Amino acid sequence: MKELIKQLVPGIKALTDGIKTTGHIPVAGTPIEMPFTLICGTKQGKDILITGGVHGGEYPCIETAIQLAKELDPKEVAGTVLIIHPVNTAAFLARMQYYGPYDGKNLNRVFPGKATGTVSERIAYVVHQLQKEADFFIDLHGGDIHESLIPFVIYSNVGSKEVSEQSRQAAALLGFPYVVGSVSENGSIGGAATVGTPGFLAELGQCGRWNQDEVEQYKAAVKNVLRSWATIPGQVHTHQVEYLERMLVATALHEGCWYPEVKLEAKVTKGQKLGEIRDFFGTKLSEYHAEGDGIVLYLVTSLAITANDPLYAIGVQAAK
């Protein structure tokens, strides 16, 4: 991890054990520079990569990454912890949901990226190079500007069974109520899993807002995971969580006005109507039904909706 940072960041000084280094990782061929903090511990240990702000409007995770970077003491750290805070600086400053301002792409849908691609693809490519060097990857997310959600964690089933199981067990240590598997290959954790790096994507926060209580909850959860690898000292706390088999995401067929008919954490059954899209005259354009039995994990709250945007996600409970 340290050697790759030296290659990516021009003019960086020697990365010494027991020292915390801050700076910006440039994304070649773009105006993007990702602020980072590298904590080099005094003892041997794992290389951990933590990212916050892949989506620019998810504020609790970004502030959590910033505060973690300030609080972690290299004298107490084993191994190295690299924190990027935030990843998608342009989207953050533009107050954009999902997409980047330069290419209109969703950064979390273009992994592993392309070295000579669009801006979002180039950002993903740089992060993916860091994923390859890491022993574990933590991607912090939250309720975007137009999303409500209950805290949950996604781990990847794309890689080997061993990597998947490491990811699943670590995800449970956050203490969020639900842990769900994913088979997506173009997201951040799918990109990590394809190169054998275990990890998870965490979700905490509501509708583009943040408060310190949420940040404290998020920091405590991440630190518990770090303690499980002896990256930082302290007792590891175990939690009761519900494991979900997969996530069903519905996307909009039309632009217009979105009217959900369920609430967060509602238990729904296959075929149940969950909402509809109407035009600007109140005429129904399309309606949406649950594709399976499960629990509503997140729900778009904005009246405005555009075609192909997510509407909601259902976590499917494992068959008994």
Side-chain angles (χ1 to χ4, degrees):
M1 183 86 78
K2 288 190 283 189
E3 291 305 312
L4 182 54
I5 290 294
K6 290 178 184 177
Q7 295 173 28
L8 291 173
V9 183
I12 196 167
K13 297 178 181 178
L15 300 174
T16 307
D17 291 348
I19 298 296
K20 183 183 295 188
T21 302
T22 62
H24 291 82
I25 301 171
V27 178
T30 81
I32 303 298
E33 292 186 326
M34 299 185 292
F36 77 91
T37 300
L38 181 66
I39 301 111
C40 298
T42 55
K43 299 179 285 294
Q44 293 294 313
K46 295 183 180 296
D47 288 335
I48 310 299
L49 172 62
I50 301 175
T51 53
V54 164
H55 291 140
E58 298 178 358
Y59 301 136
C61 68
I62 295 170
E63 182 61 17
T64 294
I66 290 171
Q67 292 190 22
L68 276 173
K70 294 277 285 184
E71 291 177 9
L72 291 179
D73 184 349
K75 294 182 176 59
E76 294 185 345
V77 167
T80 60
V81 181
L82 173 63
I83 305 176
I84 304 177
H85 48 86
V87 173
N88 204 338
T89 51
F92 174 76
L93 294 173
R95 302 191 186 103
M96 293 185 70
Q97 61 190 42
Y98 289 154
Y99 306 110
Y102 292 104
D103 56 15
K105 292 186 177 181
N106 184 335
L107 176 54
N108 203 38
R109 294 293 178 271
V110 297
F111 277 82
K114 297 178 182 177
T116 57
T118 68
V119 171
S120 295
E121 290 168 339
R122 289 176 186 235
I123 296 171
Y125 178 81
V126 174
V127 174
H128 188 60
Q129 304 318 300
L130 294 164
Q131 289 175 337
K132 292 178 181 178
E133 297 296 316
D135 293 310
F136 202 91
F137 172 56
I138 299 176
D139 192 18
L140 305 180
H141 285 250
D144 212 319
I145 293 167
H146 62 308
E147 286 179 339
S148 62
L149 56 83
I150 53 177
F152 67 97
V153 198
I154 307 170
Y155 69 94
S156 179
N157 281 315
V158 169
S160 68
K161 289 184 178 180
E162 179 183 1
V163 168
S164 176
E165 183 59 21
Q166 288 177 4
S167 303
R168 189 182 75 93
Q169 290 182 16
L173 293 175
L174 286 175
F176 293 1
Y178 301 101
V179 174
V180 57
S182 170
V183 293
S184 171
E185 294 184 356
N186 62 358
S188 62
I189 54 171
T194 59
V195 291
T197 302
F200 57 71
L201 185 158
E203 297 273 10
L204 173 70
Q206 298 290 328
C207 302
R209 300 189 299 267
W210 75 277
N211 60 65
Q212 190 59 35
D213 287 343
E214 288 177 333
V215 172
E216 292 297 334
Q217 179 185 354
Y218 224 156
K219 288 191 298 182
V222 174
K223 288 178 180 178
N224 193 50
V225 177
L226 295 179
R227 286 194 293 269
S228 74
W229 301 313
T231 301
I232 59 174
Q235 181 180 357
V236 179
H237 302 285
T238 58
H239 303 275
Q240 290 291 327
V241 301
E242 182 171 353
Y243 292 101
L244 302 173
E245 191 174 88
R246 65 188 187 280
M247 194 161 65
L248 302 174
V249 179
T251 55
L253 298 174
H254 301 92
E255 66 178 19
C257 303
W258 162 239
Y259 298 90
E261 297 184 12
V262 289
K263 295 183 178 180
L264 280 179
E265 213 167 356
K267 292 187 177 181
V268 300
T269 57
K270 185 176 181 178
Q272 179 180 341
K273 184 180 177 183
L274 303 185
E276 63 183 41
I277 294 175
R278 305 173 196 161
D279 66 16
F280 299 134
F281 299 96
T283 302
K284 182 170 67 176
L285 298 173
S286 52
E287 60 180 47
Y288 301 84
H289 299 80
E291 294 183 16
D293 299 348
I295 297 165
V296 179
L297 295 178
Y298 78 72
L299 189 65
V300 167
T301 56
S302 64
L303 182 62
I305 200 73
T306 57
N308 301 315
D309 273 357
L311 296 170
Y312 55 80
I314 297 171
V316 177
Q317 296 168 306
K320 295 181 180 179

